[in-house]
């Protein structure tokens, strides 16, 4: 297993260990920060609240993962054992294999990782006590997306529902308000289309990975990415499911 893991790791994996990172250096290598954000996501050892607290206090995933266990525990508000478990987990071969595979997928497409401390991370979402430490993003988030409205509804609708969705989304776009929803068929898709038709901005928060939502709405998502962003808080190939849908709902709620 160790030999196989060494074969697939990127040429510059992020250093893991208390002496590998110099906290006096403000700038963090982007590829290392992506690696470490994904390590935090895949580790599953600390709650989103603890991870968010640690990132807020330290400033980057790279700095967090290069703390001694006691220091990491203090900043994340967890026990020293939990902090030690996180550091050990981030060095295990199966996790590093999963991170390396996700990095390779990211390197072959338009998607990218936006971390909790990045300027592009949605300001309202960041205020949640348990925000995702990393977002998978296709498109671009802008400061003006902080003024947003959730317009969403049933996957099946009548003419009245269609007209109302179009009117609300059109008014929002003409008022400089970003339309946000989960990108489902029906009211969601109608609202997104109406916003884009009026040269407005739109953001979709998916309950699946960015490459696992099926092809029925791909054309719409590509259009959203050109005039807004499609977001996910789970890896690219992750299929929809009850747990992931909760995370997708959190994105919509946190954006508005």
């Amino acid at each position: 297993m160790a030999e196989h893991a060494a074969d697939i790791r990127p040429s510059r994996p992020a250093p893991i260990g208390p002496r590998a990172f110099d906290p006096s250096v403000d700038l963090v290598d982007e590829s290392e920060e992506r690696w470490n954000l994904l390590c935090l996501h895949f580790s599953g050892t600390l709650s989103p609240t603890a991870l968010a607290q640690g990132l807020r206090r330290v400033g980057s995933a790279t700095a967090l993962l290069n703390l001694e266990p006691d220091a990491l525990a203090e900043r994340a508000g967890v026990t020293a054992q939990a902090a030690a478990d996180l550091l050990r987990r981030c060095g295990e071969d199966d996790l590093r294999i999963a991170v390396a595979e996700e990095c390779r997928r990211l390197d072959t497409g338009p998607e990218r990782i936006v971390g909790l401390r990045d300027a592009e991370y949605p300001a309202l979402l960041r205020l949640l006590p348990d925000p995702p430490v990393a977002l998978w993003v296709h498109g671009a988030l802008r400061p003006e997306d902080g003024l947003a409205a959730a317009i969403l509804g049933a996957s099946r609708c009548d003419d009245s529902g269609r007209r109302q969705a179009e009117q609300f989304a059109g008014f929002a776009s003409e008022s400089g308000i970003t339309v946000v929803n989960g990108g489902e068929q029906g009211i969601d898709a109608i609202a997104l289309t109406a916003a884009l038709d009026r040269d407005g901005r739109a953001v979709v928060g998916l309950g699946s990975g960015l490459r696992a939502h099926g092809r029925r709405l791909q054309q719409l998502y590509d259009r959203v990415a050109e005039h807004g962003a499609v977001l996910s808080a789970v890896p690219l190939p992750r299929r929809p499911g009850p747990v992931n849908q909760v995370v997708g709902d959190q994105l919509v709620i946190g954006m508005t």
Side-chain angles (χ1 to χ4, degrees):
M1 173 64 76
E3 181 180 356
H4 176 60
D7 289 341
I8 72 163
R9 293 174 191 171
S11 58
R12 294 190 60 198
I16 300 294
R19 291 169 296 283
F21 181 80
D22 182 358
S24 66
V25 178
D26 292 329
L27 296 178
V28 177
D29 182 271
E30 183 177 339
S31 63
E32 293 182 354
E33 183 64 7
R34 182 180 74 170
W35 178 275
N36 285 324
L37 281 167
L38 290 173
C39 283
L40 292 178
H41 175 87
F42 279 100
S43 67
T45 54
L46 297 186
S47 69
T49 301
L51 292 176
Q53 176 174 308
L55 285 175
R56 288 173 177 135
R57 292 182 173 180
V58 175
S60 72
T62 303
L64 189 68
L65 286 176
N66 282 279
L67 293 173
E68 295 281 359
D70 287 344
L72 194 158
E74 187 276 328
R75 286 163 176 79
V78 298
T79 65
Q81 183 59 55
D85 289 343
L86 171 65
L87 295 175
R88 182 181 66 254
R89 179 69 183 124
C90 288
E92 292 178 349
D93 282 342
D94 65 321
L95 183 141
R96 294 175 70 84
I97 289 170
V99 171
E101 290 174 344
E102 187 68 5
C103 286
R104 286 186 175 180
R105 285 189 285 264
L106 288 162
D107 289 339
T108 63
E111 308 90 349
R112 55 202 169 81
I113 295 294
V114 173
L116 178 66
R117 298 287 292 176
D118 291 340
E120 190 179 353
Y121 196 98
L124 291 177
L125 184 61
R126 187 187 286 121
L127 294 177
L128 295 179
D130 57 346
V133 298
L135 297 176
W136 281 252
V137 178
H138 182 200
L141 292 160
R142 295 181 181 173
E144 56 262 39
D145 295 328
L147 182 60
I151 303 177
L152 65 165
S155 58
R156 295 182 180 180
C157 61
D158 57 18
D159 290 341
S160 176
R162 174 182 293 275
R163 286 194 301 271
Q164 290 184 57
E166 290 174 340
Q167 290 171 359
F168 290 146
F171 174 79
S173 298
E174 292 167 1
S175 302
I177 299 171
T178 299
V179 172
V180 180
N181 60 44
E184 299 290 344
Q185 295 190 90
I187 294 295
D188 288 22
I190 292 167
L192 293 170
T193 301
L196 297 172
D197 285 346
R198 289 165 175 78
D199 297 323
R201 287 186 57 77
V203 173
V204 170
L206 290 178
S208 69
L210 294 181
R211 298 186 189 176
H213 48 67
R215 298 184 178 182
R216 289 178 297 179
L217 294 171
Q218 185 61 57
Q219 186 174 2
L220 176 59
Y221 292 163
D222 289 342
R223 191 179 174 199
V224 169
E226 293 176 358
H227 303 280
V230 183
L231 311 179
S232 175
V234 297
L236 294 174
R238 188 73 57 84
R239 302 297 302 174
V243 174
N244 294 338
Q245 188 57 55
V246 171
V247 177
D249 293 343
Q250 182 191 43
L251 296 178
V252 175
I253 294 170
M255 285 284 297
T256 56

